PDB file of all heavy atoms in Angstrom:
ATOM      1  N   PHE A 109      -4.493  -7.755  19.500  1.00  0.00           N
ATOM      2  CA  PHE A 109      -4.622  -6.354  19.889  1.00  0.00           C
ATOM      3  C   PHE A 109      -5.900  -5.795  19.255  1.00  0.00           C
ATOM      4  O   PHE A 109      -6.124  -5.972  18.054  1.00  0.00           O
ATOM      5  CB  PHE A 109      -3.409  -5.544  19.404  1.00  0.00           C
ATOM      6  CG  PHE A 109      -2.084  -6.190  19.704  1.00  0.00           C
ATOM      7  CD1 PHE A 109      -1.375  -6.847  18.705  1.00  0.00           C
ATOM      8  CD2 PHE A 109      -1.561  -6.156  20.984  1.00  0.00           C
ATOM      9  CE1 PHE A 109      -0.157  -7.455  18.977  1.00  0.00           C
ATOM     10  CE2 PHE A 109      -0.336  -6.764  21.263  1.00  0.00           C
ATOM     11  CZ  PHE A 109       0.367  -7.417  20.261  1.00  0.00           C
ATOM     12  N   HIS A 110      -6.691  -5.127  20.067  1.00  0.00           N
ATOM     13  CA  HIS A 110      -7.932  -4.561  19.544  1.00  0.00           C
ATOM     14  C   HIS A 110      -7.641  -3.199  18.901  1.00  0.00           C
ATOM     15  O   HIS A 110      -7.943  -2.148  19.457  1.00  0.00           O
ATOM     16  CB  HIS A 110      -8.979  -4.442  20.650  1.00  0.00           C
ATOM     17  CG  HIS A 110      -9.608  -5.751  21.002  1.00  0.00           C
ATOM     18  ND1 HIS A 110     -10.529  -6.364  20.177  1.00  0.00           N
ATOM     19  CD2 HIS A 110      -9.427  -6.565  22.071  1.00  0.00           C
ATOM     20  CE1 HIS A 110     -10.913  -7.501  20.724  1.00  0.00           C
ATOM     21  NE2 HIS A 110     -10.256  -7.652  21.874  1.00  0.00           N
ATOM     22  N   VAL A 111      -7.051  -3.260  17.714  1.00  0.00           N
ATOM     23  CA  VAL A 111      -6.800  -2.061  16.931  1.00  0.00           C
ATOM     24  C   VAL A 111      -7.993  -1.859  15.988  1.00  0.00           C
ATOM     25  O   VAL A 111      -8.238  -2.688  15.107  1.00  0.00           O
ATOM     26  CB  VAL A 111      -5.488  -2.171  16.127  1.00  0.00           C
ATOM     27  CG1 VAL A 111      -5.316  -0.959  15.220  1.00  0.00           C
ATOM     28  CG2 VAL A 111      -4.300  -2.295  17.070  1.00  0.00           C
ATOM     29  N   ILE A 112      -8.714  -0.784  16.197  1.00  0.00           N
ATOM     30  CA  ILE A 112      -9.888  -0.476  15.384  1.00  0.00           C
ATOM     31  C   ILE A 112      -9.457   0.396  14.212  1.00  0.00           C
ATOM     32  O   ILE A 112      -8.821   1.437  14.411  1.00  0.00           O
ATOM     33  CB  ILE A 112     -10.966   0.252  16.208  1.00  0.00           C
ATOM     34  CG1 ILE A 112     -11.272  -0.514  17.499  1.00  0.00           C
ATOM     35  CG2 ILE A 112     -12.226   0.444  15.376  1.00  0.00           C
ATOM     36  CD1 ILE A 112     -11.730  -1.933  17.296  1.00  0.00           C
ATOM     37  N   CYS A 113      -9.784  -0.035  13.014  1.00  0.00           N
ATOM     38  CA  CYS A 113      -9.432   0.730  11.818  1.00  0.00           C
ATOM     39  C   CYS A 113     -10.685   1.277  11.159  1.00  0.00           C
ATOM     40  O   CYS A 113     -11.619   0.533  10.857  1.00  0.00           O
ATOM     41  CB  CYS A 113      -8.674  -0.136  10.824  1.00  0.00           C
ATOM     42  SG  CYS A 113      -8.230   0.753   9.308  1.00  0.00           S
ATOM     43  N   THR A 114     -10.700   2.572  10.944  1.00  0.00           N
ATOM     44  CA  THR A 114     -11.745   3.227  10.161  1.00  0.00           C
ATOM     45  C   THR A 114     -11.121   3.707   8.864  1.00  0.00           C
ATOM     46  O   THR A 114     -10.126   4.443   8.883  1.00  0.00           O
ATOM     47  CB  THR A 114     -12.346   4.418  10.928  1.00  0.00           C
ATOM     48  OG1 THR A 114     -12.874   3.962  12.177  1.00  0.00           O
ATOM     49  CG2 THR A 114     -13.467   5.064  10.120  1.00  0.00           C
ATOM     50  N   LEU A 115     -11.673   3.274   7.745  1.00  0.00           N
ATOM     51  CA  LEU A 115     -11.109   3.570   6.428  1.00  0.00           C
ATOM     52  C   LEU A 115     -12.102   4.382   5.600  1.00  0.00           C
ATOM     53  O   LEU A 115     -13.224   3.935   5.363  1.00  0.00           O
ATOM     54  CB  LEU A 115     -10.759   2.274   5.697  1.00  0.00           C
ATOM     55  CG  LEU A 115     -10.187   2.396   4.279  1.00  0.00           C
ATOM     56  CD1 LEU A 115      -8.886   3.185   4.284  1.00  0.00           C
ATOM     57  CD2 LEU A 115      -9.982   1.013   3.681  1.00  0.00           C
ATOM     58  N   HIS A 116     -11.669   5.567   5.199  1.00  0.00           N
ATOM     59  CA  HIS A 116     -12.508   6.459   4.393  1.00  0.00           C
ATOM     60  C   HIS A 116     -11.961   6.486   2.968  1.00  0.00           C
ATOM     61  O   HIS A 116     -10.802   6.853   2.742  1.00  0.00           O
ATOM     62  CB  HIS A 116     -12.504   7.874   4.988  1.00  0.00           C
ATOM     63  CG  HIS A 116     -13.403   8.838   4.283  1.00  0.00           C
ATOM     64  ND1 HIS A 116     -14.774   8.735   4.306  1.00  0.00           N
ATOM     65  CD2 HIS A 116     -13.119   9.937   3.526  1.00  0.00           C
ATOM     66  CE1 HIS A 116     -15.303   9.720   3.617  1.00  0.00           C
ATOM     67  NE2 HIS A 116     -14.322  10.452   3.123  1.00  0.00           N
ATOM     68  N   ILE A 117     -12.786   6.071   2.013  1.00  0.00           N
ATOM     69  CA  ILE A 117     -12.410   6.046   0.597  1.00  0.00           C
ATOM     70  C   ILE A 117     -13.273   7.067  -0.127  1.00  0.00           C
ATOM     71  O   ILE A 117     -14.498   7.046   0.006  1.00  0.00           O
ATOM     72  CB  ILE A 117     -12.612   4.648  -0.015  1.00  0.00           C
ATOM     73  CG1 ILE A 117     -11.904   3.584   0.814  1.00  0.00           C
ATOM     74  CG2 ILE A 117     -12.115   4.616  -1.464  1.00  0.00           C
ATOM     75  CD1 ILE A 117     -12.205   2.156   0.376  1.00  0.00           C
ATOM     76  N   CYS A 118     -12.640   7.968  -0.881  1.00  0.00           N
ATOM     77  CA  CYS A 118     -13.423   9.035  -1.491  1.00  0.00           C
ATOM     78  C   CYS A 118     -12.873   9.439  -2.852  1.00  0.00           C
ATOM     79  O   CYS A 118     -11.709   9.175  -3.180  1.00  0.00           O
ATOM     80  CB  CYS A 118     -13.506  10.255  -0.575  1.00  0.00           C
ATOM     81  SG  CYS A 118     -11.914  11.054  -0.271  1.00  0.00           S
ATOM     82  N   ILE A 119     -13.747  10.083  -3.623  1.00  0.00           N
ATOM     83  CA  ILE A 119     -13.394  10.643  -4.920  1.00  0.00           C
ATOM     84  C   ILE A 119     -13.892  12.082  -4.966  1.00  0.00           C
ATOM     85  O   ILE A 119     -15.016  12.376  -4.547  1.00  0.00           O
ATOM     86  CB  ILE A 119     -14.016   9.833  -6.075  1.00  0.00           C
ATOM     87  CG1 ILE A 119     -13.334   8.481  -6.226  1.00  0.00           C
ATOM     88  CG2 ILE A 119     -13.942  10.588  -7.391  1.00  0.00           C
ATOM     89  CD1 ILE A 119     -13.965   7.580  -7.263  1.00  0.00           C
ATOM     90  N   SER A 120     -13.031  12.967  -5.454  1.00  0.00           N
ATOM     91  CA  SER A 120     -13.415  14.357  -5.646  1.00  0.00           C
ATOM     92  C   SER A 120     -12.838  14.830  -6.969  1.00  0.00           C
ATOM     93  O   SER A 120     -11.619  14.989  -7.080  1.00  0.00           O
ATOM     94  CB  SER A 120     -12.904  15.232  -4.494  1.00  0.00           C
ATOM     95  OG  SER A 120     -13.238  16.598  -4.703  1.00  0.00           O
ATOM     96  N   GLY A 121     -13.688  15.003  -7.981  1.00  0.00           N
ATOM     97  CA  GLY A 121     -13.197  15.373  -9.298  1.00  0.00           C
ATOM     98  C   GLY A 121     -12.285  14.293  -9.844  1.00  0.00           C
ATOM     99  O   GLY A 121     -12.695  13.143  -9.999  1.00  0.00           O
ATOM    100  N   SER A 122     -11.018  14.629 -10.075  1.00  0.00           N
ATOM    101  CA  SER A 122     -10.052  13.666 -10.602  1.00  0.00           C
ATOM    102  C   SER A 122      -9.100  13.166  -9.512  1.00  0.00           C
ATOM    103  O   SER A 122      -8.014  12.678  -9.808  1.00  0.00           O
ATOM    104  CB  SER A 122      -9.230  14.309 -11.729  1.00  0.00           C
ATOM    105  OG  SER A 122      -8.508  15.429 -11.249  1.00  0.00           O
TER     106      SER A 122
END
Side-chain angles (χ1 to χ4, degrees):
F109 313 103
H110 284 286
V111 175
I112 309 302
C113 179
T114 302
L115 178 60
H116 184 68
I117 307 173
C118 64
I119 289 175
S120 178
S122 61

